Amino acid sequence: MEKFRGVDYYGIDALLSEDERMVRDAIRDWVEAEYLPIVTEHHRQGTFPVALLPKLGELGVFGATLKGYGCAGLNNVAYGLIMQELERGDSGLRSAASVQSALVMYPIHAYGSDAQKERWLPALAAGTAVGCFGLTEPDHGSDPGGMKTRAARRGDAWILNGTKLWITNGSIADVALVWAKDAEDHEIYGYLVERGTPGFSTLDIHGKFSMRASITSELSLQDCRIPVVNRLPGVKGLKGPLSCLSQARYGIAWGAVGAAMACYDWALQYAQQRVQFGRPIASFQLVQQKLVWIVTEITKAQLLCLQLGRLKDEGKARAQQISMAKMNNVQIALDTARMARDILGAAGIVDEHPVIRHLMNLETVNTYEGTHDIHTLIIGRDITGCDAFGS
Ligand code: TGC
Ligand code: FAD
Protein backbone atom coordinates (compact mmCIF):
# COMPACT_ATOMS: atom_id res chain seq x y z
CA MET A 1 0.00 0.00 0.00
CA GLU A 2 1.07 3.60 -0.57
CA LYS A 3 2.01 5.85 2.35
CA PHE A 4 -0.96 7.17 4.35
CA ARG A 5 -2.34 10.25 2.62
CA GLY A 6 -4.58 11.60 5.36
CA VAL A 7 -8.35 11.90 5.09
CA ASP A 8 -9.64 15.45 4.59
CA TYR A 9 -12.70 15.56 2.34
CA TYR A 10 -13.87 18.95 3.62
CA GLY A 11 -10.64 20.93 3.73
CA ILE A 12 -10.62 20.78 7.54
CA ASP A 13 -6.83 21.19 7.52
CA ALA A 14 -7.40 24.84 6.71
CA LEU A 15 -9.25 25.23 10.03
CA LEU A 16 -6.14 24.14 11.93
CA SER A 17 -3.36 26.52 12.92
CA GLU A 18 0.14 25.96 11.58
CA ASP A 19 1.26 24.83 15.05
CA GLU A 20 -1.59 22.30 15.25
CA ARG A 21 -0.66 20.86 11.84
CA MET A 22 3.01 20.68 12.82
CA VAL A 23 2.21 18.73 15.99
CA ARG A 24 -0.03 16.35 14.04
CA ASP A 25 2.56 15.78 11.33
CA ALA A 26 5.35 15.14 13.84
CA ILE A 27 3.33 12.41 15.57
CA ARG A 28 2.16 11.00 12.22
CA ASP A 29 5.76 10.69 11.03
CA TRP A 30 6.85 9.08 14.31
CA VAL A 31 4.03 6.53 14.20
CA GLU A 32 4.91 5.66 10.58
CA ALA A 33 8.63 5.30 11.29
CA GLU A 34 8.79 3.86 14.82
CA TYR A 35 5.50 2.20 15.67
CA LEU A 36 3.79 0.73 12.59
CA PRO A 37 6.78 -1.50 11.76
CA ILE A 38 6.52 -3.23 15.18
CA VAL A 39 2.84 -3.18 16.09
CA THR A 40 1.87 -6.43 14.35
CA GLU A 41 4.46 -8.41 16.30
CA HIS A 42 3.39 -6.85 19.60
CA HIS A 43 -0.21 -7.64 18.74
CA ARG A 44 0.71 -11.26 18.01
CA GLN A 45 2.72 -11.62 21.22
CA GLY A 46 0.27 -9.71 23.39
CA THR A 47 2.92 -7.23 24.53
CA PHE A 48 3.22 -3.46 24.80
CA PRO A 49 6.38 -1.64 23.61
CA VAL A 50 7.26 -0.03 26.94
CA ALA A 51 10.65 1.13 25.58
CA LEU A 52 8.85 3.62 23.33
CA LEU A 53 7.40 5.60 26.25
CA PRO A 54 10.46 7.85 26.83
CA LYS A 55 10.47 8.62 23.08
CA LEU A 56 6.84 9.70 23.32
CA GLY A 57 7.86 11.78 26.33
CA GLU A 58 10.50 13.53 24.21
CA LEU A 59 7.82 14.28 21.62
CA GLY A 60 5.75 16.04 24.32
CA VAL A 61 2.82 13.59 24.15
CA PHE A 62 2.24 13.08 27.89
CA GLY A 63 0.18 15.66 29.71
CA ALA A 64 0.42 17.72 26.52
CA THR A 65 -2.20 20.30 27.59
CA LEU A 66 -0.80 20.78 31.09
CA LYS A 67 1.41 23.70 32.06
CA GLY A 68 4.75 23.38 33.90
CA TYR A 69 6.53 20.23 35.13
CA GLY A 70 8.03 19.58 31.68
CA CYS A 71 4.61 19.45 29.94
CA ALA A 72 4.10 20.95 26.50
CA GLY A 73 1.20 23.30 27.33
CA LEU A 74 -0.51 22.69 23.96
CA ASN A 75 -4.13 23.53 23.22
CA ASN A 76 -6.85 20.87 23.21
CA VAL A 77 -7.03 20.61 19.42
CA ALA A 78 -3.32 19.82 19.18
CA TYR A 79 -3.76 17.25 21.96
CA GLY A 80 -6.69 15.71 20.08
CA LEU A 81 -4.64 15.49 16.89
CA ILE A 82 -1.93 13.66 18.84
CA MET A 83 -4.52 11.13 20.04
CA GLN A 84 -5.82 10.75 16.47
CA GLU A 85 -2.38 9.96 15.11
CA LEU A 86 -1.48 7.55 17.93
CA GLU A 87 -4.71 5.61 17.43
CA ARG A 88 -4.13 5.46 13.70
CA GLY A 89 -1.24 3.30 14.89
CA ASP A 90 -3.20 1.27 17.43
CA SER A 91 -5.83 1.91 20.11
CA GLY A 92 -3.41 0.39 22.63
CA LEU A 93 -0.84 3.11 21.92
CA ARG A 94 -3.43 5.85 22.33
CA SER A 95 -4.70 4.13 25.47
CA ALA A 96 -1.29 4.28 27.11
CA ALA A 97 -1.05 7.99 26.32
CA SER A 98 -4.65 8.64 27.44
CA VAL A 99 -4.21 6.92 30.76
CA GLN A 100 -0.89 8.61 31.48
CA SER A 101 -2.10 12.08 30.44
CA ALA A 102 -5.80 12.31 31.20
CA LEU A 103 -6.23 9.79 33.99
CA VAL A 104 -3.01 10.13 35.99
CA MET A 105 -1.25 13.43 35.20
CA TYR A 106 -4.44 15.50 34.92
CA PRO A 107 -5.74 14.58 38.43
CA ILE A 108 -2.31 14.98 40.03
CA HIS A 109 -2.02 18.40 38.33
CA ALA A 110 -5.58 19.44 39.22
CA TYR A 111 -6.01 17.89 42.67
CA GLY A 112 -2.54 16.93 43.93
CA SER A 113 -0.35 18.54 46.59
CA ASP A 114 2.81 20.39 45.53
CA ALA A 115 4.88 17.43 46.75
CA GLN A 116 2.79 14.95 44.71
CA LYS A 117 3.17 17.13 41.61
CA GLU A 118 6.93 17.44 42.03
CA ARG A 119 7.29 13.73 42.71
CA TRP A 120 5.34 12.47 39.70
CA LEU A 121 4.61 14.99 36.96
CA PRO A 122 8.12 15.52 35.53
CA ALA A 123 8.81 11.76 35.34
CA LEU A 124 5.37 10.99 33.88
CA ALA A 125 5.80 13.80 31.31
CA ALA A 126 9.18 12.37 30.30
CA GLY A 127 7.77 8.85 30.02
CA THR A 128 10.39 7.58 32.46
CA ALA A 129 7.57 6.73 34.90
CA VAL A 130 4.29 5.01 33.99
CA GLY A 131 0.93 5.57 35.66
CA CYS A 132 -2.36 3.66 35.76
CA PHE A 133 -5.90 4.53 36.87
CA GLY A 134 -7.86 2.12 39.06
CA LEU A 135 -11.58 2.86 39.08
CA THR A 136 -13.35 -0.24 37.70
CA GLU A 137 -13.90 -3.21 40.03
CA PRO A 138 -15.09 -6.77 39.40
CA ASP A 139 -18.63 -5.86 40.54
CA HIS A 140 -18.69 -2.18 39.57
CA GLY A 141 -17.97 -1.13 35.99
CA SER A 142 -20.63 1.24 34.66
CA ASP A 143 -21.61 2.18 38.23
CA PRO A 144 -18.29 3.08 39.86
CA GLY A 145 -20.15 4.93 42.62
CA GLY A 146 -20.88 1.51 44.18
CA MET A 147 -17.18 0.65 44.54
CA LYS A 148 -16.15 -1.63 47.41
CA THR A 149 -12.49 -0.60 47.74
CA ARG A 150 -11.96 1.06 51.12
CA ALA A 151 -9.31 3.29 52.72
CA ALA A 152 -9.10 3.34 56.50
CA ARG A 153 -6.95 5.84 58.44
CA ARG A 154 -4.46 4.24 60.85
CA GLY A 155 -2.19 6.87 62.41
CA ASP A 156 0.00 8.37 59.66
CA ALA A 157 -1.13 5.86 57.01
CA TRP A 158 -4.07 4.83 54.86
CA ILE A 159 -4.81 1.09 54.74
CA LEU A 160 -6.33 0.13 51.39
CA ASN A 161 -8.35 -3.01 50.72
CA GLY A 162 -10.06 -3.97 47.48
CA THR A 163 -9.66 -5.13 43.88
CA LYS A 164 -9.55 -3.13 40.66
CA LEU A 165 -10.08 -4.92 37.36
CA TRP A 166 -9.36 -4.21 33.67
CA ILE A 167 -6.67 -1.67 34.45
CA THR A 168 -4.61 -0.46 31.48
CA ASN A 169 -0.84 -0.57 32.18
CA GLY A 170 -1.50 -1.94 35.69
CA SER A 171 1.51 -4.24 35.93
CA ILE A 172 3.99 -1.84 34.31
CA ALA A 173 2.92 1.20 36.31
CA ASP A 174 5.23 2.90 38.78
CA VAL A 175 2.23 4.58 40.35
CA ALA A 176 -1.43 3.57 40.49
CA LEU A 177 -4.08 6.18 41.12
CA VAL A 178 -6.60 4.09 43.06
CA TRP A 179 -10.08 5.44 43.81
CA ALA A 180 -11.46 4.22 47.13
CA LYS A 181 -14.09 5.15 49.70
CA ASP A 182 -12.93 6.55 53.02
CA ALA A 183 -14.21 4.08 55.63
CA GLU A 184 -15.18 7.00 57.87
CA ASP A 185 -16.95 9.61 55.72
CA HIS A 186 -17.78 7.14 52.85
CA GLU A 187 -16.60 9.67 50.26
CA ILE A 188 -14.49 8.69 47.23
CA TYR A 189 -10.88 9.96 47.17
CA GLY A 190 -7.84 9.27 44.97
CA TYR A 191 -4.84 7.48 46.51
CA LEU A 192 -1.37 7.22 44.96
CA VAL A 193 -0.04 3.68 45.40
CA GLU A 194 3.55 3.07 44.37
CA ARG A 195 4.74 -0.13 42.78
CA GLY A 196 6.40 -2.39 45.35
CA THR A 197 4.23 -1.24 48.27
CA PRO A 198 3.60 -4.28 50.51
CA GLY A 199 0.04 -5.55 50.07
CA PHE A 200 -0.18 -4.22 46.48
CA SER A 201 0.08 -6.73 43.64
CA THR A 202 -0.93 -6.98 39.99
CA LEU A 203 -1.94 -9.79 37.68
CA ASP A 204 -2.18 -9.44 33.89
CA ILE A 205 -5.30 -10.49 32.01
CA HIS A 206 -4.58 -12.94 29.19
CA GLY A 207 -6.70 -14.41 26.43
CA LYS A 208 -7.75 -11.01 25.06
CA PHE A 209 -8.93 -10.81 21.44
CA SER A 210 -8.94 -7.01 21.68
CA MET A 211 -6.24 -4.54 22.76
CA ARG A 212 -3.62 -7.24 22.44
CA ALA A 213 -0.78 -4.71 22.09
CA SER A 214 -1.72 -3.20 25.45
CA ILE A 215 -1.32 -4.41 29.04
CA THR A 216 -4.56 -4.93 31.00
CA SER A 217 -4.30 -5.96 34.66
CA GLU A 218 -6.01 -6.65 37.93
CA LEU A 219 -4.84 -4.63 40.93
CA SER A 220 -5.08 -6.25 44.34
CA LEU A 221 -4.87 -4.23 47.57
CA GLN A 222 -4.68 -6.29 50.73
CA ASP A 223 -4.00 -4.26 53.86
CA CYS A 224 -1.89 -2.07 51.60
CA ARG A 225 -0.36 0.67 53.74
CA ILE A 226 0.47 4.00 52.09
CA PRO A 227 1.62 7.28 53.68
CA VAL A 228 -1.19 9.61 54.66
CA VAL A 229 0.24 12.26 52.30
CA ASN A 230 -0.47 9.99 49.30
CA ARG A 231 -4.15 10.95 49.15
CA LEU A 232 -5.04 13.65 46.57
CA PRO A 233 -6.08 16.59 48.76
CA GLY A 234 -8.00 18.57 46.15
CA VAL A 235 -11.12 16.53 45.39
CA LYS A 236 -13.68 14.26 47.03
CA GLY A 237 -16.69 12.39 45.66
CA LEU A 238 -17.45 10.65 42.36
CA LYS A 239 -16.81 13.88 40.46
CA GLY A 240 -13.07 13.30 41.10
CA PRO A 241 -12.73 10.23 38.85
CA LEU A 242 -15.53 11.37 36.52
CA SER A 243 -13.74 14.65 35.80
CA CYS A 244 -10.70 12.61 34.72
CA LEU A 245 -12.92 10.51 32.48
CA SER A 246 -14.09 13.67 30.72
CA GLN A 247 -10.48 14.42 29.78
CA ALA A 248 -9.86 10.87 28.54
CA ARG A 249 -13.17 10.58 26.66
CA TYR A 250 -12.29 13.77 24.79
CA GLY A 251 -9.03 12.16 23.61
CA ILE A 252 -10.81 8.94 22.67
CA ALA A 253 -13.25 10.86 20.46
CA TRP A 254 -10.25 12.04 18.40
CA GLY A 255 -8.46 8.71 18.64
CA ALA A 256 -11.41 6.85 17.15
CA VAL A 257 -11.19 9.11 14.09
CA GLY A 258 -7.57 8.01 13.71
CA ALA A 259 -8.53 4.32 13.76
CA ALA A 260 -11.32 4.99 11.24
CA MET A 261 -8.94 6.92 8.97
CA ALA A 262 -6.48 4.01 9.01
CA CYS A 263 -9.22 1.54 8.01
CA TYR A 264 -10.66 3.81 5.33
CA ASP A 265 -7.30 4.57 3.72
CA TRP A 266 -6.39 0.88 3.64
CA ALA A 267 -9.78 -0.26 2.29
CA LEU A 268 -9.84 2.44 -0.38
CA GLN A 269 -6.39 1.54 -1.69
CA TYR A 270 -7.21 -2.16 -1.54
CA ALA A 271 -10.46 -1.63 -3.46
CA GLN A 272 -8.64 0.33 -6.16
CA GLN A 273 -6.07 -2.47 -6.61
CA ARG A 274 -8.16 -5.62 -6.17
CA VAL A 275 -9.61 -6.86 -9.46
CA GLN A 276 -12.67 -9.13 -9.69
CA PHE A 277 -14.91 -9.72 -12.72
CA GLY A 278 -12.21 -8.00 -14.77
CA ARG A 279 -12.27 -4.63 -12.99
CA PRO A 280 -11.25 -3.06 -9.67
CA ILE A 281 -13.76 -3.79 -6.93
CA ALA A 282 -13.76 0.00 -6.29
CA SER A 283 -15.84 0.30 -9.46
CA PHE A 284 -18.75 -1.70 -8.03
CA GLN A 285 -21.59 0.41 -6.70
CA LEU A 286 -22.00 -1.55 -3.46
CA VAL A 287 -18.30 -1.13 -2.62
CA GLN A 288 -18.51 2.58 -3.41
CA GLN A 289 -21.55 2.88 -1.17
CA LYS A 290 -19.52 1.55 1.77
CA LEU A 291 -16.55 3.83 1.07
CA VAL A 292 -18.83 6.85 0.69
CA TRP A 293 -20.59 6.08 3.97
CA ILE A 294 -17.22 5.79 5.69
CA VAL A 295 -15.72 9.03 4.35
CA THR A 296 -18.93 10.92 5.14
CA GLU A 297 -18.97 9.66 8.74
CA ILE A 298 -15.26 10.38 9.20
CA THR A 299 -15.82 13.93 7.96
CA LYS A 300 -18.71 14.46 10.39
CA ALA A 301 -16.64 12.98 13.23
CA GLN A 302 -13.70 15.27 12.39
CA LEU A 303 -15.94 18.33 12.56
CA LEU A 304 -17.47 17.16 15.85
CA CYS A 305 -14.00 16.80 17.37
CA LEU A 306 -12.73 20.09 16.09
CA GLN A 307 -15.67 22.12 17.43
CA LEU A 308 -15.47 20.22 20.74
CA GLY A 309 -11.77 21.05 20.97
CA ARG A 310 -12.41 24.72 20.27
CA LEU A 311 -15.13 24.73 22.97
CA LYS A 312 -12.75 22.99 25.38
CA ASP A 313 -10.08 25.60 24.73
CA GLU A 314 -12.65 28.27 25.61
CA GLY A 315 -13.54 26.34 28.79
CA LYS A 316 -17.05 25.73 27.44
CA ALA A 317 -17.10 22.00 26.61
CA ARG A 318 -19.69 20.22 28.76
CA ALA A 319 -19.25 16.62 29.91
CA GLN A 320 -22.39 15.64 28.00
CA GLN A 321 -20.98 17.09 24.76
CA ILE A 322 -17.84 15.04 25.32
CA SER A 323 -20.05 11.97 25.81
CA MET A 324 -21.68 12.62 22.43
CA ALA A 325 -18.33 12.79 20.63
CA LYS A 326 -17.00 9.65 22.36
CA MET A 327 -20.23 7.73 21.68
CA ASN A 328 -20.60 8.80 18.05
CA ASN A 329 -16.99 8.62 16.95
CA VAL A 330 -16.31 5.21 18.44
CA GLN A 331 -19.53 3.86 16.91
CA ILE A 332 -18.66 5.14 13.43
CA ALA A 333 -15.09 3.88 13.79
CA LEU A 334 -16.36 0.42 14.72
CA ASP A 335 -18.81 0.41 11.80
CA THR A 336 -16.02 1.69 9.54
CA ALA A 337 -13.67 -1.11 10.63
CA ARG A 338 -16.38 -3.72 10.03
CA MET A 339 -17.12 -2.37 6.52
CA ALA A 340 -13.42 -2.04 5.68
CA ARG A 341 -12.87 -5.64 6.75
CA ASP A 342 -15.71 -6.70 4.49
CA ILE A 343 -14.17 -4.82 1.53
CA LEU A 344 -10.92 -6.75 2.04
CA GLY A 345 -12.72 -10.09 1.74
CA ALA A 346 -10.68 -12.99 3.13
CA ALA A 347 -7.61 -10.74 3.33
CA GLY A 348 -9.52 -8.77 5.95
CA ILE A 349 -9.08 -11.45 8.59
CA VAL A 350 -5.27 -11.56 8.64
CA ASP A 351 -2.93 -9.17 10.44
CA GLU A 352 -0.93 -8.45 7.28
CA HIS A 353 -3.59 -5.75 6.96
CA PRO A 354 -4.27 -3.49 9.98
CA VAL A 355 -8.06 -3.50 9.67
CA ILE A 356 -8.95 -6.56 11.76
CA ARG A 357 -6.63 -5.33 14.55
CA HIS A 358 -8.41 -1.96 14.62
CA LEU A 359 -11.79 -3.70 14.49
CA MET A 360 -10.99 -5.89 17.49
CA ASN A 361 -9.50 -2.96 19.43
CA LEU A 362 -12.55 -0.81 18.81
CA GLU A 363 -14.74 -3.39 20.53
CA THR A 364 -12.90 -2.39 23.73
CA VAL A 365 -13.00 1.32 22.96
CA ASN A 366 -16.77 1.00 22.56
CA THR A 367 -16.93 -0.43 26.11
CA TYR A 368 -14.35 1.44 28.15
CA GLU A 369 -14.55 4.99 29.40
CA GLY A 370 -18.33 4.55 29.56
CA THR A 371 -20.07 2.13 27.22
CA HIS A 372 -21.92 3.41 24.17
CA ASP A 373 -25.21 2.88 26.00
CA ILE A 374 -24.05 4.67 29.17
CA HIS A 375 -23.20 7.72 27.03
CA THR A 376 -26.62 7.48 25.41
CA LEU A 377 -28.16 7.67 28.89
CA ILE A 378 -25.88 10.56 29.94
CA ILE A 379 -27.08 12.58 26.91
CA GLY A 380 -30.66 11.35 27.42
CA ARG A 381 -30.60 12.63 31.01
CA ASP A 382 -29.21 15.95 29.80
CA ILE A 383 -31.84 16.64 27.17
CA THR A 384 -34.90 15.23 28.98
CA GLY A 385 -34.03 15.98 32.58
CA CYS A 386 -35.02 12.37 33.42
CA ASP A 387 -32.48 9.97 34.96
CA ALA A 388 -32.60 6.53 33.26
CA PHE A 389 -29.84 4.99 35.40
CA GLY A 390 -30.55 2.28 37.94
CA SER A 391 -31.48 4.32 41.00
P1 TGC B 1 -23.68 11.62 38.78
O1 TGC B 1 -24.74 12.05 39.73
O2 TGC B 1 -23.93 11.74 37.33
O3 TGC B 1 -22.34 12.41 39.11
C1 TGC B 1 -21.74 12.42 40.40
C2 TGC B 1 -20.95 13.71 40.51
O4 TGC B 1 -19.99 13.78 39.47
C3 TGC B 1 -20.23 14.92 38.60
N1 TGC B 1 -19.98 14.45 37.22
C4 TGC B 1 -18.93 14.84 36.51
N2 TGC B 1 -17.94 15.70 36.76
C5 TGC B 1 -17.00 15.88 35.79
N3 TGC B 1 -17.01 15.21 34.62
C6 TGC B 1 -17.98 14.32 34.34
N4 TGC B 1 -17.97 13.63 33.19
C7 TGC B 1 -19.01 14.11 35.29
N5 TGC B 1 -20.10 13.31 35.34
C8 TGC B 1 -20.69 13.55 36.53
C9 TGC B 1 -21.68 15.27 38.84
O5 TGC B 1 -21.93 16.62 38.55
C10 TGC B 1 -21.81 14.96 40.32
O6 TGC B 1 -21.18 16.02 41.03
P2 TGC B 1 -21.72 16.47 42.48
O7 TGC B 1 -20.89 17.67 42.83
O8 TGC B 1 -23.18 16.77 42.29
O9 TGC B 1 -21.49 15.32 43.40
O10 TGC B 1 -23.30 10.14 39.18
P3 TGC B 1 -23.96 8.83 38.79
O11 TGC B 1 -23.68 7.84 39.86
O12 TGC B 1 -25.41 9.06 38.38
O13 TGC B 1 -23.06 8.49 37.52
C11 TGC B 1 -23.57 7.90 36.55
C12 TGC B 1 -22.61 7.60 35.36
C13 TGC B 1 -23.15 6.33 34.77
C14 TGC B 1 -22.73 8.71 34.36
C15 TGC B 1 -21.13 7.47 35.72
O14 TGC B 1 -20.93 6.67 36.82
C16 TGC B 1 -20.32 6.95 34.54
O15 TGC B 1 -19.84 7.74 33.74
N6 TGC B 1 -20.11 5.58 34.42
C17 TGC B 1 -19.23 5.00 33.42
C18 TGC B 1 -17.98 4.49 34.12
C19 TGC B 1 -16.75 4.67 33.27
O16 TGC B 1 -16.73 5.39 32.30
N7 TGC B 1 -15.67 4.05 33.70
C20 TGC B 1 -14.42 4.21 33.04
C21 TGC B 1 -13.30 3.62 33.86
S1 TGC B 1 -11.70 4.17 33.36
C22 TGC B 1 -11.44 3.47 31.88
O17 TGC B 1 -12.25 2.85 31.29
C23 TGC B 1 -10.11 3.70 31.32
S2 TGC B 1 -9.84 2.99 29.81
C24 TGC B 1 -8.65 4.06 29.34
C25 TGC B 1 -7.80 3.65 28.28
O18 TGC B 1 -7.14 2.59 28.33
O19 TGC B 1 -7.73 4.47 27.31
P1 FAD C 1 -20.97 -3.49 32.86
O1 FAD C 1 -21.05 -2.20 33.61
O2 FAD C 1 -21.25 -4.74 33.60
O3 FAD C 1 -21.94 -3.38 31.59
C1 FAD C 1 -22.32 -4.53 30.84
C2 FAD C 1 -23.42 -4.12 29.85
O4 FAD C 1 -24.55 -3.60 30.59
C3 FAD C 1 -22.97 -3.01 28.91
O5 FAD C 1 -23.52 -3.22 27.64
C4 FAD C 1 -23.57 -1.75 29.53
O6 FAD C 1 -23.81 -0.72 28.58
C5 FAD C 1 -24.88 -2.32 30.09
N1 FAD C 1 -25.40 -1.49 31.20
C6 FAD C 1 -24.84 -1.28 32.41
N2 FAD C 1 -25.60 -0.43 33.14
C7 FAD C 1 -26.63 -0.06 32.34
C8 FAD C 1 -27.75 0.81 32.48
N3 FAD C 1 -27.96 1.53 33.60
N4 FAD C 1 -28.62 0.93 31.45
C9 FAD C 1 -28.42 0.25 30.29
N5 FAD C 1 -27.37 -0.59 30.09
C10 FAD C 1 -26.50 -0.73 31.09
N6 FAD C 1 -11.18 0.71 33.91
C11 FAD C 1 -10.40 1.47 34.71
O7 FAD C 1 -10.81 1.89 35.79
N7 FAD C 1 -9.12 1.78 34.32
C12 FAD C 1 -8.59 1.34 33.15
O8 FAD C 1 -7.43 1.65 32.84
C13 FAD C 1 -9.39 0.53 32.31
N8 FAD C 1 -8.87 0.02 31.15
C14 FAD C 1 -9.60 -0.90 30.45
C15 FAD C 1 -8.99 -1.57 29.39
C16 FAD C 1 -9.68 -2.55 28.70
C17 FAD C 1 -8.99 -3.33 27.62
C18 FAD C 1 -11.04 -2.81 29.03
C19 FAD C 1 -11.82 -3.84 28.26
C20 FAD C 1 -11.65 -2.14 30.06
C21 FAD C 1 -10.94 -1.18 30.80
N9 FAD C 1 -11.49 -0.56 31.92
C22 FAD C 1 -10.73 0.24 32.73
C23 FAD C 1 -12.83 -0.94 32.37
C24 FAD C 1 -13.98 -0.25 31.63
O9 FAD C 1 -14.08 1.10 31.97
C25 FAD C 1 -15.27 -1.01 31.95
O10 FAD C 1 -15.18 -2.24 31.28
C26 FAD C 1 -16.51 -0.25 31.52
O11 FAD C 1 -16.71 0.90 32.35
C27 FAD C 1 -17.77 -1.13 31.58
O12 FAD C 1 -17.87 -1.82 32.78
P2 FAD C 1 -18.12 -3.41 32.77
O13 FAD C 1 -17.15 -4.04 31.84
O14 FAD C 1 -18.13 -3.86 34.19
O15 FAD C 1 -19.55 -3.60 32.12
Side-chain angles (χ1 to χ4, degrees), residues 334-384:
L334 193 48
D335 290 344
T336 290
R338 285 173 182 154
M339 284 187 197
R341 200 228 54 78
D342 177 73
I343 290 170
L344 267 65
I349 71 156
V350 287
D351 64 10
E352 179 190 338
H353 307 278
V355 173
I356 188 75
R357 177 168 51 77
H358 283 296
L359 170 51
M360 294 193 300
N361 284 341
L362 288 162
E363 291 291 349
T364 283
V365 184
N366 189 55
T367 287
Y368 72 22
E369 290 282 0
T371 67
H372 182 276
D373 289 347
I374 288 296
H375 289 296
T376 303
L377 299 184
I378 289 172
I379 301 164
R381 179 166 69 179
D382 190 41
I383 60 173
T384 65

Side-chain angles (χ1 to χ4, degrees), residues 94-95 142 144 168 239 242-243 245-246 249 319 368-370 381:
R94 195 269 309 136
S95 243
S142 296
T168 301
K239 66 174 177 289
L242 291 183
S243 65
L245 297 184
S246 279
R249 291 166 178 172
Y368 72 22
E369 290 282 0
R381 179 166 69 179

Side-chain angles (χ1 to χ4, degrees), residues 33-56:
E34 306 283 334
Y35 184 74
L36 287 179
I38 61 167
V39 61
T40 304
E41 197 50 36
H42 279 285
H43 181 259
R44 283 184 186 174
Q45 301 299 331
T47 51
F48 176 73
V50 186
L52 292 183
L53 293 178
K55 293 189 187 177
L56 285 174

Side-chain angles (χ1 to χ4, degrees), residues 45 59 89 132 160 174 178 265 313 353:
Q45 301 299 331
L59 284 167
C132 73
L160 297 176
D174 299 281
V178 171
D265 182 65
D313 279 333
H353 307 278

Side-chain angles (χ1 to χ4, degrees), residues 150-211:
R150 292 289 181 272
R153 180 81 188 256
R154 297 275 181 277
D156 60 356
W158 291 105
I159 311 295
L160 297 176
N161 277 289
T163 304
K164 298 290 176 179
L165 197 59
W166 303 110
I167 307 305
T168 301
N169 284 350
S171 66
I172 59 167
D174 299 281
V175 61
L177 174 53
V178 171
W179 297 93
K181 280 188 183 164
D182 184 327
E184 210 156 281
D185 67 9
H186 307 292
E187 294 278 7
I188 295 170
Y189 295 89
Y191 299 84
L192 295 167
V193 181
E194 295 192 26
R195 197 214 309 241
T197 306
F200 176 56
S201 59
T202 62
L203 198 64
D204 284 343
I205 296 168
H206 296 292
K208 290 183 296 177
F209 280 77
S210 178
M211 289 287 190

